[in-house]
Amino acid sequence: MRDVVALWLAARDSRVPWHAKAIAAAVAAYALSPIDLIPDFVPVLGYLDDLLLVPLGILLAVKLIPAPVMADLRGKAIGHRKQTSKAGLIAVLLAWLAFVALVVYSAWANIAAKI
């Protein structure tokens, strides 16, 4: 969790390159989001994001951030309270909304084609 908060801080740090900021922001937003892209009650896939996507995203972001900067951000992250991400929540909700819209559109198109 410390690295996630450090990435959240990295996304706002001027010493971090823009591409690392983008990845750090995306990973932190998703990891701190109160809901998952794939809910945990879905067998196997529900835990896949927690076991693979988040750790791989953290690893990639940490590799892109200069080591001295990351060490400083990790130190700052220890003193921070637990964060939640409204941006992550909105992104996940928009992804689900887009998925539902696609399913409804596909179903509607199939029904209209049969009429």
Side-chain angles (χ1 to χ4, degrees):
M1 192 57 154
R2 179 198 63 186
D3 278 355
V4 172
V5 175
L7 291 179
W8 180 75
L9 295 171
R12 294 157 180 76
D13 196 301
S14 62
R15 301 172 292 173
V16 176
W18 70 268
H19 59 282
K21 279 184 182 187
I23 292 172
V27 171
Y30 182 73
L32 296 171
S33 173
I35 59 175
D36 287 339
L37 185 60
I38 304 169
D40 289 341
F41 64 81
V42 176
V44 182
L45 294 178
Y47 291 103
L48 189 63
D49 61 341
D50 296 332
L51 296 175
L52 287 178
L53 295 179
V54 173
L56 290 175
I58 291 171
L59 183 66
L60 175 63
V62 167
K63 293 236 182 245
L64 294 174
I65 297 171
V69 174
M70 192 63 200
D72 180 46
L73 294 171
R74 282 180 174 141
K76 290 178 182 178
I78 292 171
H80 270 266
R81 62 181 174 83
K82 185 178 178 184
Q83 302 290 326
T84 58
S85 173
K86 290 179 187 171
L89 172 65
I90 291 168
V92 171
L93 289 176
L94 287 175
W96 273 107
L97 184 62
F99 175 73
V100 169
L102 180 65
V103 169
V104 169
Y105 175 76
S106 296
W108 187 264
N110 283 338
I111 291 170
K114 291 179 181 178
I115 294 178

